[in-house]
Amino acid sequence: MLETKNLSVSYGKLRALSDVSIGINKGDFVALIGSNGAGKSTLINAVSGLVSIDSGSVVFEGATISGMSPDSIAAAGLIQVPEGRKLFARMTIEENLQIGAYLPAARRNYLRNLGRMFELFPRLKERRRQMAGSLSGGEQQMLAISRALMSEPKLLMLDEPSLGLAPIVTLEIFKILQELNGNGLTILLVSQEVLQSLKITRRAYLLENGHISLTGSSTDLLGDSRVKESYLGL
Amino acid sequence: MAPNTKVVYPGQMNSTLVIQSLISGVMMGSVYALLGVGFSLTWGVMKVINVAHAAFGLLATFMAYSLLQAYGVDPVASLAITIPLLYFGGCILYRTLLIRITSAKAVIVSSMILTFGIAIILENGMLLVWGADPRLLTTSYTSKVFVVGPFYFQYPPLIGFVMSIIGVMTIHLFLKRTYVGKAVRAAWQQPEASQLCGINLRRISTITFGLAVATSGAGGVGMGLLYSFEPHSHNLWLIHLFLVVIVGGVGNVLGTALAGLIIGIITGLSMAFLPYQWVNLLTFGLLMIILVVRPQGLFQSEV
């Protein structure tokens, strides 16, 4: 469904990604793990078209999307939940969800999808007329995920959805991601919560200094001695 | 002296005079507000200070003048032609010139320099077409007055006032209620995240700028109903725009409107009680105080 082929990205003279090739199949639940600064956000921002690439390509459902604008990539069904949530803070929860459904196809199903989001996150329903900026961290993350789901994604990419959240809220969010994947949504999860991410995903890539250094099933990575030592502190 | 006649000395406190000055102040201020909303919008949300904003408004005033002279078209009706023209002019200007500076580090400064050039071109264009003589929008209702008790309302400012309310509310409701308006707010609150939702930033910027320039047309006609104008008038208007927008808070449509009214009231009252040369000292003194005490303006950006 999604494939990056020898993707390289640099910021000025600093190389952030070199020759990164990953593949995600329909229905997959894939984790992209690695330490801070390994290039995880750069990779999904390059896929989303927010960062321009030096070489390589990104292919989504058979079409090359590298070089397209971020809004056209979103229109193709590749939706990102950005790091730090990036909500429209001075707009209400409902307005945030309306903007989530900005794409014409999604706009037609707005009411149906809104109902689903409120079922998934009842707390958002109670606060639908509040400003997004007034929500707690966990609620903001839920809103960010809902906003992305409102666009009816084919592939959902989440960048550090657990950042700054209490462990119990993180668990709640990860449980919902598992549920969404169970209903057929393809998900790429970028996280520093290595243990939790490997527990809920099926496959994983380990990104180190801009390279993919390890790939395999999540259970295999959980058992890998390097992963255990460097990322799980075992 | 007959016992029932009251003599009003100039400068003497008198409630009728105070209320009358308030009325004319509110009407004058509302027109500044109308001219100011678009200026506030591009500044607040796009970080583009459009120094040519008042010049675009003045262009609409001159067009209204010509349409009135040649075909007897009412200045308000002329907006049916000038507003779409200004909208497309603004869109084209954005796509051809402004888009080149949007990625600059100091968009505010670059935009001021660029639009200053555009203002000079517009000003000289108007000078070429209409000449340097001051003009008036003289309509059938120019000298008509509407009397309520001891107060009188002149028709032209009254029309400007109604136009302002409609104009300001239209922009406000556009931003708050329509899908495109919400997309405009989203795009300027979180440019990246809005793109991830499928919003085309270039399209939204073009619409925002086009709309802002279009509103200047209504403001220009409002000004033309109140004052005489010539091709340099936009410079004086611009100074008042800065005043209104800074006091109201950049990017805040209703704040700009309220600031227009506040400044109108202060100007109106001080004109009644102070020698004319002190009026600007008072209003711009107020601007300085606000810049020091509350540099973000009286109201927060609502975009």
Side-chain angles (χ1 to χ4, degrees):
Chain A
M1 187 179 207
L2 176 77
E3 205 178 347
T4 71
K5 290 177 187 160
N6 304 89
L7 207 59
S8 295
V9 174
S10 30
Y11 298 115
K13 284 194 173 142
L14 197 76
R15 175 134 293 193
L17 291 180
S18 351
D19 283 332
V20 172
S21 300
I22 65 166
I24 297 170
N25 297 321
K26 199 168 168 23
D28 239 351
F29 194 0
V30 177
L32 181 64
I33 57 173
S35 58
N36 215 344
K40 303 187 300 295
S41 296
T42 304
L43 178 55
I44 71 165
N45 283 336
V47 170
S48 278
L50 291 172
V51 179
S52 56
I53 59 179
D54 294 346
S55 60
S57 65
V58 183
V59 177
F60 182 61
E61 292 196 306
T64 304
I65 56 162
S66 32
M68 277 165 57
S69 64
D71 51 287
S72 334
I73 292 175
L78 195 50
I79 303 292
Q80 184 194 144
V81 180
E83 184 176 349
R85 310 181 271 270
K86 300 213 165 76
L87 294 172
F88 309 120
R90 289 193 303 279
M91 291 172 84
T92 65
I93 285 153
E94 213 169 332
E95 284 175 328
N96 270 270
L97 295 173
Q98 280 172 4
I99 297 298
Y102 184 79
L103 292 165
R107 214 180 295 186
R108 275 193 292 277
N109 301 329
Y110 172 72
L111 282 177
R112 194 192 67 201
N113 291 337
L114 186 72
R116 282 187 189 163
M117 291 313 127
F118 286 162
E119 240 170 73
L120 204 58
F121 304 107
R123 259 182 290 176
L124 295 183
K125 188 177 185 177
E126 290 161 29
R127 305 186 177 187
R128 58 203 287 181
R129 306 211 189 287
Q130 274 184 35
M131 291 291 152
S134 71
L135 295 177
S136 73
E139 289 162 345
Q140 288 197 11
Q141 191 59 57
M142 290 171 190
L143 179 56
I145 293 172
S146 312
R147 182 180 65 185
L149 290 174
M150 289 300 286
S151 350
E152 304 190 330
K154 291 176 185 159
L155 169 59
L156 186 68
M157 303 189 290
L158 300 105
D159 195 357
E160 300 287 3
S162 56
L163 204 69
L165 299 186
I168 186 156
V169 185
T170 303
L171 278 180
E172 197 180 337
I173 299 241
F174 278 17
K175 221 177 100 192
I176 284 163
L177 293 181
Q178 234 172 341
E179 213 177 289
L180 290 169
N181 176 250
N183 293 334
L185 181 66
T186 315
I187 300 178
L188 173 64
L189 173 65
V190 171
S191 184
Q192 283 185 60
E193 294 275 335
V194 174
L195 180 65
Q196 287 304 331
S197 332
L198 290 180
K199 272 186 179 167
I200 61 167
T201 52
R202 269 195 291 271
R203 287 196 311 117
Y205 290 93
L206 173 64
L207 197 60
E208 286 180 313
N209 300 319
H211 295 275
I212 296 289
S213 56
L214 194 63
T215 171
S217 77
S218 300
T219 23
D220 285 351
L221 260 76
L222 262 178
D224 185 88
S225 57
R226 261 167 62 208
V227 173
K228 270 187 178 168
E229 202 179 308
S230 316
Y231 298 96
L232 301 174
L234 299 174
Chain B
M1 192 189 294
N4 282 340
T5 31
K6 265 194 195 159
V7 180
V8 180
Y9 296 102
Q12 184 189 334
M13 283 298 254
N14 173 298
S15 62
T16 311
L17 181 64
V18 170
I19 294 172
Q20 189 63 56
S21 320
L22 267 175
I23 292 169
S24 49
V26 164
M27 305 218 162
M28 187 172 60
S30 72
V31 174
Y32 279 122
L34 180 59
L35 194 57
V37 279
F39 188 63
S40 177
L41 198 64
T42 54
W43 184 353
V45 306
M46 302 173 73
K47 308 293 166 227
V48 167
I49 297 189
N50 182 9
V51 178
H53 187 79
F56 277 112
L58 186 57
L59 186 64
T61 324
F62 271 112
M63 285 176 168
Y65 173 82
S66 286
L67 286 167
L68 180 67
Q69 294 295 311
Y71 307 104
V73 177
D74 186 273
V76 178
S78 77
L79 290 172
I81 299 168
T82 48
I83 284 185
L85 268 179
L86 286 173
Y87 176 78
F88 289 113
C91 291
I92 292 166
L93 179 63
Y94 183 81
R95 280 295 173 92
T96 52
L97 294 174
L98 278 158
I99 203 159
R100 291 163 204 277
I101 59 157
T102 45
S103 52
K105 274 204 182 108
V107 179
I108 286 197
V109 179
S110 334
S111 69
M112 281 178 84
I113 296 168
L114 175 62
T115 54
F116 183 56
I118 292 163
I120 292 174
I121 294 171
L122 285 173
E123 181 179 312
N124 285 287
M126 290 187 276
L127 205 57
L128 209 66
V129 177
W130 287 282
D133 299 330
R135 315 274 177 167
L136 280 165
L137 289 179
T138 316
T139 60
S140 53
Y141 49 79
T142 294
S143 48
K144 279 199 181 141
V145 188
F146 169 78
V147 183
V148 182
F151 310 115
Y152 64 91
F153 296 83
Q154 289 171 297
Y155 267 65
L158 199 62
I159 288 167
F161 180 68
V162 173
M163 220 162 67
S164 300
I165 291 177
I166 295 172
V168 169
M169 284 320 286
T170 307
I171 292 289
H172 175 73
L173 292 177
F174 163 75
L175 287 172
K176 292 280 175 184
R177 296 267 183 272
T178 69
Y179 220 104
V180 179
K182 286 173 187 175
V184 168
R185 284 159 61 212
W188 300 112
Q189 283 183 28
Q190 287 285 358
E192 262 188 17
S194 74
Q195 284 178 289
L196 294 175
C197 293
I199 290 175
N200 182 335
L201 272 191
R202 187 199 286 195
R203 182 169 165 264
I204 290 295
S205 313
T206 310
I207 292 174
T208 311
F209 196 77
L211 265 178
V213 171
T215 59
S216 77
V221 168
M223 292 296 279
L225 288 171
L226 262 67
Y227 308 106
S228 71
F229 51 93
E230 36 92 18
H232 301 102
S233 300
H234 70 97
N235 294 310
L236 190 66
W237 296 1
L238 183 69
I239 294 171
H240 283 90
L241 289 192
F242 272 104
L243 182 66
V244 169
V245 171
I246 290 169
V247 171
V250 288
N252 189 321
V253 173
L254 293 185
T256 303
L258 218 54
L261 294 185
I262 292 170
I263 287 158
I265 288 169
I266 292 172
T267 314
L269 285 180
S270 52
M271 272 167 127
F273 300 109
L274 287 174
Y276 185 72
Q277 63 269 31
W278 289 90
V279 173
N280 278 348
L281 186 73
L282 192 77
T283 43
F284 287 94
L286 174 87
L287 173 68
M288 279 188 223
I289 293 169
I290 285 185
L291 276 175
V292 171
V293 180
R294 230 183 125 78
Q296 73 274 36
L298 296 180
F299 313 98
Q300 245 200 340
S301 169
E302 61 182 335
V303 174

